[in-house]
Each structure stands twice: as structure tokens, then as C-alpha cells.
Amino acid sequence: MASHYLERRHHHFGWDNSRSPVLTVRPGDTVEFETIDASGGQLNPSSTAADVGRLDFGGVNPATGPVYVEGAEPGDALVVHVREMKPSGWGWTANIPGFGLLAHRFKDPAIVHWHYATDLKTPAPFKAGASVPLKPFIGVIGQALAEGGSHSVVPPRRVGGNMDTADICVGSTVTFPVEVAGCLFSLGDTHAAQG
């Protein structure tokens, strides 16, 4: 079994079975994925609410990959074990106009920057003594669909997507049905915490 590293520059914005893989692995190999935040790098530690209001939705939720798994064929199952996550120490929470369940109540852009210890033991400080415990997880995880063309990673579907469930964390195992040869697996939109 080999270990591989996949840089964040190898990312895409949709599941597409015609996309060329950036890495080929064998079953049992370990891959370390470097990811980009959900804004696709449009937001950074100095971003303001005005920057949130200018987000280009064509560049959100990038997924690092795709990875070709040798021997995987339609009808097989891809089993992914999450072994470790290394948070960056910075993240953001934003109110994005027109987006989310409460968009009708909160119409103005806003952003909160989070700076936290990466030891995963120290909660992230918030305001007035409040803090949030860290539990890193993977937001977007999955692989290419059998149907041709580019498909958004945002909706969860049978091959994965923007799951945004805190259960896809260190120690978890996720299983996906394989629809295309080699799977073309990718992941991204990692979170330090979500409530």
C-alpha cells in the first residue's frame, strides 16, 4: 500500500465522468487531500461583508481530485476510511444573501472569522466568553456519476455530494456505489465544526 499527496490546485467544481484523473491509486492506498475552503479561495482572513456579497457561486465548493481507483468498476462499492484531519487554524461563517434556509430573514451579507488552535482539544473562541468545540469533518465527498456532463457537487446524491454531516469525520467509514470505471473520487469543503 502506498501513500499519496494531492495538492489543492487539483480541484474541480462538478462531478464529470469525462474529467481526467489527477492521481491513480490502488485499493488500500492512502491519499492525503489538501482542500480549499467552501468559497473556493474567494474569502480570506481579511475578507469583509462586502466580499461575501460579491461571491461568485460558480467558484464555490471545490473538490480536490479526481482520483482514479484501479480495478473499480460499475457495480462495485468504494469504501473510504477517514483516518486524520488537519485543520488550518482559520475559517469563516457567513450570511450569504439569497442563500440558506433563513435567506428571507437575513438579507445583508455578514462574515465572522474564526481563529482557533489546531490541536483539536481547544474550543474555538467566539464572543463574550463563548466557544465552539472543534470536530472536523468533510463536507463534499463523492465520485462521478454514470450520466455524462458536469453535475453540481452541491446536492447530496447516490454517489455523494455536499453531505455536510458531522459524521464524516476521523474514524468514520463511508461507502459509495461505483458508477464509472475508476470511481473518479474527490473531496473538499472541509469544516472545523458546524452546528
Side-chain angles (χ1 to χ4, degrees), residues 2-189:
S3 294
H4 309 273
Y5 181 80
L6 196 50
E7 296 176 347
R8 62 191 264 161
R9 67 184 174 91
H10 297 292
H11 65 273
H12 58 88
F13 296 97
W15 310 123
D16 189 335
N17 63 26
S18 68
R19 189 178 315 281
S20 296
V22 295
L23 176 66
T24 298
V25 300
R26 299 179 58 133
D29 284 1
T30 299
V31 180
E32 181 178 347
F33 291 83
E34 181 184 30
T35 61
I36 306 173
D37 73 289
S39 78
Q42 296 176 74
L43 299 178
N44 61 58
S46 61
S47 292
T48 65
D51 296 317
V52 172
R54 291 190 289 268
L55 276 177
D56 173 5
F57 276 80
V60 300
N61 278 352
T64 302
V67 174
Y68 185 95
V69 180
E70 287 183 2
E73 295 292 338
D76 290 344
L78 173 67
V79 179
V80 178
H81 303 286
V82 182
R83 298 184 189 272
E84 184 179 7
M85 293 187 74
K86 301 174 187 173
S88 68
W90 169 78
W92 56 268
T93 301
N95 183 60
I96 302 169
F99 184 77
L101 296 174
L102 298 175
H104 65 287
R105 295 198 54 202
F106 299 94
K107 299 181 192 284
D108 296 325
I111 189 168
V112 172
H113 293 276
W114 295 84
H115 300 277
Y116 55 87
T118 59
D119 62 12
L120 301 181
K121 296 174 185 166
T122 308
F126 187 53
K127 293 181 180 180
S131 61
V132 175
L134 300 180
K135 183 183 177 191
F137 68 93
I138 302 167
V140 170
I141 185 169
Q143 59 189 327
L145 290 83
E147 293 87 2
S150 183
H151 303 271
S152 173
V153 300
V154 174
R157 55 182 93 221
R158 64 189 179 273
V159 296
N162 189 24
M163 312 297 239
D164 270 356
T165 175
D167 294 327
I168 304 177
C169 59
V170 172
S172 67
T173 298
V174 187
T175 305
F176 299 99
V178 175
E179 292 195 358
V180 299
C183 302
L184 299 177
F185 176 78
S186 306
L187 64 80
D189 181 31

